[in-house]
Amino acid sequence: MGFLAKVGEYFLRFLAVCGRLTLFVLTSLAHGVCTPYYPRQILRQLIDIGYYSLPVVGLTATFTGMVLALQTHTGFARFAAENSIPTVVVLSVTRELGPVLAGLMVAGRIGAAMAAEIGTMRVTEQIDALTVLSTNPYKYLVMPRILAGVLMLPVLVLIADIIGVFGGYLVSTYTLGFNPANYLHQTFDHLERIDVVSGLVKAAVFGFLITTLGCYHGYHSKGGAQGVGAATTNAVVSASIMILILNYLITALFFHS
């Protein structure tokens, strides 16, 4: 009975968290459709999420494309299928590695920063002060971040796709001896619109997920510095797990036949 009681307790806690998160999302969206919109806050978040995430996303994409070309060559050489390397690199980067790795990198950088900033404002009662000053915290703090995440993640993933494919091109042409013109021809010959579009759809969903969970955990943090630290950890871990789960579901939605 003790074991069943524990399982029931954890299940009820899980349902309570799901209910609070759903209410948080609906409240944020309801407040986001009406004025005021705080354009300076939106611009600040666009720059913070998009511009300042470029170095980490770019480096990740570059070395991922380079390693993917090397490892694919190692495996395909056993079957004399080296000519398929450009196709494998471009499809792997645009469909999966670009959006997933960019999402995980942004979750670690932006999700943690949002949870820490909003969590600190919560425990120091700055959010209560905003409410007293007739400033809606959902409009001022949450919606600019969610909007910026949904808009900037696809841009970051598109750049990551280009850089990742270019990394594979560099290794294939300068290290593996591929003809540059033939490599580019095979890359674009097998690339279809849905390969890029599916990655951008994933990026928009991941952007919404990362910013929502970062804001949610920060907004409900409590217990001083220790609570802010826990909120930061929970934001990164929950966003990373949800990115992997939703990546599978969106992939099945686009490509399952």
Side-chain angles (χ1 to χ4, degrees), residues 87-250:
T87 306
V88 173
V89 170
V90 70
L91 294 185
S92 300
V93 169
T94 54
R95 286 187 179 188
E96 299 299 330
L97 296 178
V100 172
L101 292 179
L104 292 176
M105 292 298 107
V106 174
R109 201 186 83 79
I110 295 299
M114 287 182 180
E117 183 180 356
I118 297 178
T120 302
M121 294 181 69
R122 167 59 73 190
V123 299
T124 56
E125 300 180 350
Q126 293 181 56
I127 293 180
D128 297 330
L130 284 176
T131 306
V132 171
L133 294 171
S134 301
T135 300
N136 190 310
Y138 288 96
K139 289 178 179 292
Y140 188 75
L141 296 176
V142 178
M143 275 312 296
R145 286 168 169 79
I146 293 178
L147 181 63
V150 173
L151 292 177
M152 292 313 299
L153 254 293
V155 177
L156 286 173
V157 167
L158 189 60
I159 295 173
D161 289 346
I162 297 171
I163 295 176
V165 172
F166 182 67
Y169 167 83
L170 288 179
V171 169
S172 298
T173 54
Y174 289 100
T175 304
L176 304 178
F178 274 75
N179 179 281
N182 290 339
Y183 187 93
L184 291 177
H185 175 72
Q186 289 198 23
T187 295
F188 293 109
D189 193 40
H190 294 88
L191 181 65
E192 297 180 1
R193 185 179 302 173
I194 191 173
D195 300 323
V196 179
V197 170
S198 65
L200 298 183
V201 171
K202 287 181 181 180
V205 174
F206 295 164
F208 177 81
L209 192 68
I210 292 167
T211 50
T212 299
L213 290 175
C215 294
Y216 169 78
H217 287 291
Y219 195 85
H220 290 92
S221 64
K222 54 186 177 182
Q226 188 175 5
V228 175
T232 304
T233 303
N234 291 335
V236 176
V237 172
S238 59
S240 300
I241 292 174
M242 289 304 298
I243 283 173
L244 298 177
I245 295 174
L246 286 178
N247 178 56
Y248 170 78
L249 295 176
I250 297 173

